[in-house]
Amino acid sequence: MILPMQWNEAHALLDGAQSVIIVTHVFPDGDAIGSLLGLSHALRECGKTVIAAVDGGVPDYLRFLPGSAAVESTLNGVTADLVITLDASDVARTGEVGKTALALGKPVIMVDHHPTNPSFGTVNLLNVTATATAEILVDWLEALAIPLSKDTATALLTGIVTDTLCFRVSSVTSDTFGKAQKLMAAGAALVEITQHTVNRRSAGAFRLWARVMPTVQIEDHVIWIVIDKMARAASGLADDESDGSLSALLIEADDAYISGTFRETKEGRVELSFRAVPGFNVSQTALSLGGGGHIQAAGATVDGPLADVVTRVVPLLKAAAAAGSPVYP
Ligand code: 5GP
Ligand code: MN
């Protein structure tokens, strides 16, 4: 069930707080970090003390964003009047820093756009039609009459650009472009952002692709790929480095309605990443596996062994493919 946006309650909590801890989700993407930094800049610029944190800190490729170096990777011994979570679809996704922040017992403003979010905040700003959490923050800052500095705008446009794959997903509306226009007018440089994010992949990702492409299978409009821990280790990718969005690449296959990546972690768990073309839904499949996400991009992390997970999950993806029909055949 989608609850109404609690703007007034959020404003009251923010007004009453001098210090704020802001957290986002583990394995942060551009929307996670863009939202974290965008809101941090905006609140600091209006005089609040802000502590921003995420497990593992800011990934290297997003360190072009101003303020990255000030993001903490632990929160031990820290307190504040208010906690804000951004882009995290459930409590577990906020990671160790989220666990520490939420254990303070302070009020929590939860800001997110994932339809699987259970609204775990004291106050919830959940807008499932927003393309990115950063988009919700543009609305919130406007409602609070906080001006957009160049740093805030750059961070928030990064969130929108990365979550929309540069305005290519079905949740993009004219309103999304209106917000992007506002952010660019405030000084955000679109090409700087695209060159650091959607137009770029690590060399390790290509080494990984070279190894795992032979595992690609396509059956019943489902395409999937398997990345075992040996392939990952041989690619030289660090544990927190992305595989280069393989599920997003595979969904480009002509015949595919749904794509899946099965990635074995060093600990032997399996990270699942799903994509769907318009007309299909992978969020329910992810939710049923203990994960979450969006209708067309979702994921979960489950216990191995890898081969058993593939055997169990591919039929679920085939069922999701059979349950829809393509909007753009
Ligand atoms: P990606 O495939 O890019 O890793 O993730 C796509 C979407 O699925 C993200 O928006 C993210 O919220 C969700 N997602 C991916 N992995 C997990 C997971 O392990 N748990 C949950 N709850 N959501 C996930
Ligand atoms: Mn997001």
Side-chain angles (χ1 to χ4, degrees):
M1 187 184 61
I2 303 301
L3 301 166
M5 298 281 276
Q6 298 178 296
W7 293 115
N8 294 338
E9 294 84 345
H11 293 189
L13 279 182
L14 194 59
D15 277 348
Q18 171 48 38
S19 56
V20 184
I21 293 173
I22 313 180
V23 297
T24 181
H25 64 76
V26 291
F27 304 112
D29 56 13
D31 188 28
I33 298 297
S35 295
L36 184 73
L37 290 172
L39 186 62
S40 298
H41 290 307
L43 296 185
R44 280 189 192 121
E45 285 156 14
C46 53
K48 306 225 185 261
T49 302
V50 175
I51 300 147
V54 62
D55 288 6
V58 176
D60 284 346
Y61 77 99
L62 291 168
R63 287 190 163 256
F64 74 99
L65 288 171
S68 299
V71 173
E72 308 285 346
S73 52
T74 57
L75 281 178
N76 298 331
V78 175
T79 191
D81 304 328
L82 173 68
V83 174
I84 302 178
T85 72
L86 300 174
D87 204 41
S89 58
D90 56 45
V91 169
R93 291 283 284 170
T94 66
E96 284 302 313
V97 295
K99 202 159 96 181
T100 308
L102 297 174
L104 294 171
K106 302 293 180 180
V108 177
I109 302 178
M110 191 293 299
V111 188
D112 189 30
H113 68 131
H114 294 93
T116 54
N117 193 303
S119 289
F120 61 85
T122 316
V123 159
N124 297 288
L125 299 179
L126 177 63
N127 178 357
V128 302
T129 67
T131 62
T133 296
E135 235 202 274
I136 306 172
L137 295 179
V138 175
D139 285 332
W140 197 20
L141 295 180
E142 183 176 273
L144 292 165
I146 299 178
L148 294 169
S149 69
K150 184 178 176 195
D151 288 354
T152 303
T154 301
L156 295 180
L157 188 59
T158 300
I160 294 175
V161 164
T162 54
D163 260 22
T164 62
L165 306 175
C166 213
F167 308 101
R168 287 190 295 152
V169 300
S170 53
S171 52
V172 172
T173 64
S174 62
D175 194 42
T176 316
F177 281 104
K179 286 177 183 135
Q181 191 274 335
K182 233 175 105 171
L183 295 169
M184 288 184 75
L190 180 63
V191 175
E192 179 191 18
I193 293 168
T194 55
Q195 283 308 114
H196 280 287
T197 58
V198 292
N199 282 359
R200 178 180 165 156
R201 275 187 188 92
S202 67
F206 285 95
R207 284 194 294 271
L208 179 71
W209 292 9
R211 281 183 183 272
V212 297
M213 279 299 170
T215 74
V216 169
Q217 292 191 64
I218 180 160
E219 286 174 13
D220 302 333
H221 302 289
V222 175
I223 185 166
W224 72 94
I225 193 165
V226 180
I227 308 167
D228 65 25
K229 58 183 165 193
M230 267 142 52
R232 182 112 190 145
S235 73
L237 281 177
D239 287 343
D240 61 348
E241 265 185 298
S242 153
D243 61 24
S245 288
L246 269 169
S247 50
L249 178 76
L250 296 181
I251 198 62
E252 292 178 12
D254 267 345
D255 203 29
Y257 297 158
I258 285 176
S259 68
T261 302
F262 295 81
R263 184 187 144 206
E264 187 182 31
T265 69
K266 256 194 338 216
E267 297 76 31
R269 300 199 82 206
V270 182
E271 287 173 0
L272 306 169
S273 165
F274 305 142
R275 293 292 183 276
V277 300
F280 298 86
N281 183 345
V282 281
S283 74
Q284 289 309 313
T285 312
L287 193 63
S288 76
L289 292 163
H294 306 281
I295 289 172
Q296 285 165 250
T301 307
V302 299
D303 290 330
L306 179 63
D308 292 1
V309 175
V310 175
T311 306
R312 183 161 64 94
V313 173
V314 167
L316 302 178
L317 297 178
K318 288 183 179 177
S325 61
V327 178
Y328 308 104

